[in-house]
Amino acid sequence: MFIKRRHLVACAFAVLTALVLGFLAVNRYFHQLRFDTREQLERSLLDTASLNVEQFQSAIDFHIQFLESLSSQMTNQTDPASLIDLFDPLLDMHFAKQIGYAAPNGDAYLSGGLRANVAGQDFFQQSIHGSPFLSEAIRAPQGEEVYVHSLPVYAGEKTEITGVMFVVYDVPAFTNALQVDTYDGRVNSWLLRSDGYVVSVFHSNHLKPGMNMFQDFMRTNPTVNASAIETLRRCIAEGDSTIATISDGEKSYFINLTEIANVPGGDRLFLATTIATSILGKRIQPLLDGANTLILTIVILMLACAVIFIMTYLKQRRELFRLAYTCPLTRIDNYLSFKEKMRAGVELNGSGFVVSTDLRSFSTINNAFGAAKGDELLYALAKILKSHEGSGELAAHVSCDSFVLFLHAADRDDLIRRIRLIRSDILDLSPLLDLPQLVPQFGICAVESTDSPEQAYGNATLAMQSLRERVDFFYSFFDDNIRNQTLEAQLLEGEFEQALAGRQFEMWYQPKFSPSTGEVVAAEALVRWRRPDGTLVSPGKFIPLFERNGMIAHLDEYTFDAVCAQQRTWMNHGLAVVPVSVNVSRVSLYFPNITGRYMIVMNRHGISTDHVELEITEGAIENNMEVENIINIFHSCGFHILVDDFGSGYSSLATLTKKCFDNIKIDKSLVDCIGTPEGESLLESIMQLSHKFNMTVTAEGVEHTQQRDFLIIHACDNVQGYYYSEPLPAAEFSVLLNKRAS
């Protein structure tokens, strides 16, 4: 089976395209989902950073107010130590570790009765000179890290600084109070100066106070962090708030820098807020998992649909190809399949032959035994042909009882041997199917190429058709003679219309004589084709050809018109005309309203049915009521109907009972039997029966005196043949009419 895969490839391509487009759409969806989630996370980070800054600034403001209230109470105090002790209850309330007051010389009084000199501390130096100050994380004498927030203490109207008031905060307590609890504590925050040095850390991170954030990140991952550090430096320089992605070598972070306003002291401080980028994945993962599950389900469904579609498609294609390439009756390849397989390149393997075969008697079997029996015969015949099909060979049903084979053989003798075996198996079907003896015939065409199966089959069929006139051979090879005959037939077909229009067809007349008197009593019109160069084309070449292709109907009407015109001419010249019979072929009897058309021709020439008779072969009416009805109409119009070629193979005595027939023309094959007792008895019986049914008898092909004498003795009505006269042109036949008139 030669199944072309173009449709399947197209379907597979469509499915693949749908999958690719689906993948691209999902990928686009994931990209957009990641983008939207990142954007949401960045906005959330900005909000968190803003909240941290606000909270930090609120805390700073609260501490300043606290210090200011403490400082205002220290103004003009002569015994600050005693007042410091009174502030102890405020420590827990303000998350403070200690409250202290330092005199101008640096001697400090601290809660809990502690004493210390802080003259060397930055916070003291800043505040004794009039500046509020928030220190970096410093190490206390006890070893813990603390922050110190300080304010100058003024006397009177703030014209003189009398000391420094300060509060010491524990680092964890201070940072916990400032930390915004978001993302389950996964947000890191720290304070840093504009040069990148870390002032304070509000959440666990590898960065520590005193470290430089820019240097640290450039050290851990310079390739990734270079661009981010540049962005952060630009943010610090321009005072903007931005988000960059930075890496500490193990993890990546989103980082935001926001400047803190109104920080005590002269340096600019920035709050850095970071969150690990992994939270993006954790946030998006449930969505991705759901989407992946959905996509996997869709892909599985699409693949299942694709598989079902492809399987259904292939099944339908197999069924369509079976219907397109297999004969449903015989269940073997049809002619279309044969041609496709031939063109696909079956191997010749030496000599290859295309064989056309059919049965001569199939139409008779089909009519006599019914279509069901005919179908049974075709199925059995196909089975036999298929059984003789070897490797690389073909057997196919063309139409009706026509089959075609492609066979390998070493040479012609080998092929004939194989065909004899096929024929023998076909002949064995007759008793098996209870049928009359079958007559298979084979036309053979040797092929050197498989590119033109139609031409090879056509040549093989022409070779088979050449056997129709022969009974001694059952096979025929296509050769130059058959090719020439075919070309000649094509030439004649091509010239027919022009010959008809140019009236190249002449009427010759075969006289019919009374055997007892020798008088001309009638004639038969015979057509001859004379080409413009004067040469005659034999009727044996063009009559059978035109009968096969249907052109004979036009020639019949032409002949009838020509005979009617000639009769009118002879009548106008005063000649004693005799009835002239015209042959009407089987094909003409199927033309619509043929009787009306023939009557119009007669009326146009002004002659009657007494002057023109119609000859119809007995085979034309065999089991055909429609044709028989048309003949009855002709007869009712006054035409004499002659049965031509009676006894040539289709004769049935039932023909003598047909009331529409007026004359029986005994075929030459029966006349040639005169001289044998059996033949003469048969002829005598036929003539007696014909006369008994009121029919006249004409004997054809009379060529000997013995035949003439026998026909005279048995009262044959008229005879024609070379013993009396050969067919004559119209001019020569006119001489006979003149003699008859005189």
Side-chain angles (χ1 to χ4, degrees):
M1 183 70 64
F2 294 92
I3 301 179
K4 296 181 179 178
R5 302 293 181 184
R6 287 179 294 182
H7 298 295
L8 182 60
V9 171
C11 293
F13 178 76
V15 172
L16 181 61
T17 302
L19 290 174
V20 171
L21 291 177
F23 173 78
L24 293 176
V26 170
N27 186 61
R28 173 64 181 171
Y29 167 75
F30 283 168
H31 178 76
Q32 187 64 38
L33 182 63
R34 183 177 293 275
F35 177 81
D36 292 343
T37 305
R38 174 172 178 149
E39 209 174 45
Q40 180 184 4
L41 190 62
E42 289 179 351
R43 285 197 300 269
S44 180
L45 181 60
L46 288 174
D47 293 341
T48 300
S50 176
L51 184 60
N52 277 346
V53 169
E54 290 177 2
Q55 187 166 326
F56 185 81
Q57 288 180 335
S58 297
I60 294 297
D61 292 342
F62 176 75
H63 293 157
I64 291 174
Q65 292 174 5
F66 177 55
L67 277 173
E68 286 177 347
S69 66
L70 294 177
S71 177
S72 64
Q73 294 184 46
M74 283 293 182
T75 302
N76 300 321
Q77 282 288 335
T78 59
D79 186 13
S82 60
L83 187 60
I84 292 298
D85 292 336
L86 296 176
F87 293 158
D88 282 347
L90 300 176
L91 293 176
D92 293 336
M93 184 183 304
H94 291 274
F95 304 102
K97 187 175 179 62
Q98 287 180 322
I99 298 175
Y101 171 79
N105 62 356
D107 291 334
Y109 303 92
L110 291 89
S111 58
L114 298 177
R115 299 288 188 271
N117 188 285
V118 295
Q121 298 293 329
D122 286 344
F123 72 87
F124 176 79
Q125 293 296 327
Q126 292 289 335
S127 295
I128 200 66
H129 290 92
S131 299
F133 186 76
L134 177 64
S135 74
E136 299 178 7
I138 60 176
R139 191 165 298 277
Q142 294 82 5
E144 70 272 22
E145 288 188 335
V146 295
Y147 293 107
V148 179
H149 199 174
S150 61
L151 281 176
V153 178
Y154 293 92
E157 298 297 325
K158 294 187 178 182
T159 58
E160 180 185 358
I161 297 176
T162 61
V164 174
M165 193 73 196
F166 60 92
V167 178
V168 179
Y169 295 97
D170 184 56
V171 170
F174 186 78
T175 56
N176 288 339
L178 297 179
Q179 182 63 41
V180 178
D181 187 16
T182 56
Y183 297 104
D184 299 326
R186 284 175 288 185
V187 174
N188 298 328
S189 301
W190 60 87
L191 282 174
L192 70 156
R193 300 199 302 256
S194 59
D195 57 2
Y197 279 92
V198 177
V199 175
S200 300
V201 177
F202 298 148
H203 200 274
S204 60
N205 191 275
H206 75 282
L207 289 173
K208 301 300 179 182
M211 297 176 64
N212 189 291
M213 183 190 74
F214 299 142
Q215 294 176 359
D216 183 77
F217 280 121
M218 283 300 293
R219 177 180 56 79
T220 55
N221 199 335
T223 304
V224 174
N225 295 335
S227 176
I229 295 300
E230 181 64 28
T231 301
L232 295 175
R233 288 183 184 276
R234 185 170 60 253
C235 168
I236 291 174
E238 297 176 359
D240 295 331
S241 178
T242 187
I243 290 179
T245 302
I246 205 161
S247 172
D248 63 3
E250 295 180 359
K251 296 181 180 180
S252 294
Y253 300 89
F254 296 121
I255 183 170
N256 170 260
L257 289 183
T258 303
E259 186 173 2
I260 299 174
N262 302 321
V263 176
D267 200 2
R268 296 171 63 197
L269 292 183
F270 294 84
L271 181 65
T273 307
T274 67
I275 185 171
T277 57
S278 59
I279 196 173
L280 178 63
K282 292 179 180 179
R283 280 202 160 195
I284 201 173
Q285 193 60 45
L287 297 174
L288 295 179
D289 291 342
N292 286 332
T293 302
L294 177 62
I295 291 167
L296 182 61
T297 303
I298 293 174
V299 169
I300 292 174
L301 290 175
M302 289 183 66
L303 290 176
C305 292
V307 170
I308 294 172
F309 171 77
I310 292 173
M311 292 178 64
T312 304
Y313 175 80
L314 290 176
K315 182 179 179 180
Q316 290 177 344
R317 280 183 64 83
R318 284 194 296 269
E319 181 63 18
L320 288 174
F321 274 97
R322 187 187 68 80
L323 294 174
Y325 287 93
T326 304
C327 171
L329 173 61
T330 61
R331 300 179 187 175
I332 66 172
D333 289 350
N334 58 18
Y335 184 50
L336 177 61
S337 176
F338 176 83
K339 293 188 293 183
E340 290 284 346
K341 290 181 177 179
M342 283 284 288
R343 287 197 182 94
V346 293
E347 295 183 4
L348 292 177
N349 292 335
S351 298
F353 299 89
V354 172
V355 181
S356 175
T357 181
D358 67 8
L359 300 173
R360 285 187 180 180
S361 54
F362 180 74
S363 60
T364 302
I365 292 173
N366 216 32
N367 293 331
F369 294 87
K373 197 68 174 181
D375 292 346
E376 184 182 1
L377 172 58
L378 292 178
Y379 178 76
L381 182 58
K383 195 171 181 180
I384 288 174
L385 297 178
K386 195 69 177 177
S387 68
H388 286 270
E389 178 186 302
S391 176
E393 297 182 335
L394 305 173
H397 181 215
V398 180
S399 63
C400 194
D401 63 324
S402 299
F403 293 82
V404 61
L405 306 171
F406 174 76
L407 301 176
H408 296 139
D411 49 33
R412 286 194 172 194
D413 292 338
D414 183 35
L415 179 67
I416 293 171
R417 178 189 60 78
R418 294 191 62 184
I419 289 178
R420 288 184 186 277
L421 293 176
I422 297 173
R423 178 175 180 269
S424 176
D425 288 347
I426 295 175
L427 295 178
D428 291 341
L429 289 177
S430 296
L432 290 175
L433 300 179
D434 195 21
L435 292 172
Q437 186 60 57
L438 302 175
V439 185
Q441 52 190 7
F442 303 85
I444 307 164
C445 177
V447 293
E448 298 179 355
S449 170
T450 59
D451 295 336
S452 302
E454 296 93 345
Q455 182 177 353
Y457 173 67
N459 292 341
T461 302
L462 289 174
M464 182 182 65
Q465 291 172 350
S466 68
L467 298 170
R468 291 183 176 177
E469 305 301 325
R470 304 185 63 175
V471 294
D472 53 339
F473 277 92
F474 61 88
Y475 66 87
S476 174
F477 283 88
F478 180 80
D479 55 20
D480 290 340
N481 289 333
I482 295 177
R483 179 182 288 105
N484 293 336
Q485 291 173 7
T486 303
L487 293 175
E488 184 179 18
Q490 293 175 347
L491 179 63
L492 293 177
E493 288 179 346
E495 293 179 349
F496 175 75
E497 295 292 341
Q498 184 178 357
L500 205 64
R503 305 196 70 81
Q504 295 177 17
F505 295 100
E506 299 178 357
M507 294 302 107
W508 288 43
Y509 297 88
Q510 175 84 54
K512 299 178 183 179
F513 294 86
S514 169
S516 57
T517 64
E519 180 183 358
V520 177
V521 294
E524 177 184 3
L526 303 174
V527 65
R528 298 290 186 268
W529 185 351
R530 188 182 298 277
R531 285 195 167 114
D533 60 3
T535 59
L536 285 174
V537 180
S538 170
K541 291 184 177 180
F542 65 84
I543 293 296
L545 172 64
F546 295 160
E547 285 179 342
R548 290 194 298 270
N549 61 25
M551 293 178 178
I552 192 67
H554 300 288
L555 186 59
D556 283 349
E557 192 165 343
Y558 174 93
T559 301
F560 185 80
D561 180 82
V563 169
C564 290
Q566 185 63 63
Q567 288 285 63
R568 169 46 55 192
T569 300
W570 283 332
M571 292 170 65
N572 291 341
H573 285 79
L575 298 181
V577 297
V578 295
V580 177
S581 61
V582 178
N583 287 284
V584 180
S585 66
R586 183 200 305 256
V587 177
S588 293
L589 294 174
Y590 287 97
F591 267 56
N593 196 27
I594 183 174
T595 54
R597 293 165 63 179
Y598 273 37
M599 291 299 296
I600 291 174
V601 172
M602 289 183 59
N603 293 334
R604 186 171 69 246
H605 292 291
I607 61 174
S608 69
T609 55
D610 294 334
H611 301 113
V612 183
E613 299 174 332
L614 303 180
E615 291 193 16
I616 299 172
T617 60
E618 184 183 10
I621 62 169
E622 182 185 23
N623 299 321
N624 195 322
M625 290 300 299
E626 183 179 353
V627 171
E628 189 172 342
N629 290 335
I630 293 175
I631 294 174
N632 284 325
I633 295 174
F634 269 123
H635 196 259
S636 65
C637 291
F639 285 100
H640 284 77
I641 308 298
L642 286 66
V643 180
D644 195 16
D645 300 331
F646 187 86
S648 62
Y650 294 98
S651 297
S652 169
L653 293 178
T655 303
L656 301 177
T657 64
K658 305 292 183 182
K659 295 181 179 181
C660 58
F661 293 136
D662 301 289
N663 177 273
I664 295 294
K665 295 189 69 176
I666 298 175
D667 190 70
K668 183 179 184 301
S669 60
L670 290 181
V671 173
D672 288 341
C673 293
I674 295 174
T676 64
E678 296 82 2
E680 291 180 353
S681 296
L682 179 60
L683 277 174
E684 182 180 357
S685 299
I686 291 174
M687 286 189 286
Q688 288 177 356
L689 285 172
S690 299
H691 289 146
K692 187 173 183 178
F693 286 105
N694 297 319
M695 295 181 184
T696 58
V697 178
T698 300
E700 297 181 292
V702 177
E703 297 179 352
H704 307 292
T705 302
Q706 182 184 9
Q707 295 171 341
R708 182 203 64 177
D709 294 342
F710 177 85
L711 295 171
I712 291 174
I713 293 171
H714 294 284
C716 181
D717 297 287
N718 48 66
V719 296
Q720 64 183 82
Y722 280 21
Y723 180 83
Y724 291 93
S725 174
E726 61 184 359
L728 302 174
E732 296 183 18
F733 186 71
S734 299
V735 175
L736 290 181
L737 294 180
N738 276 323
K739 290 181 179 179
R740 182 174 183 274
S742 62

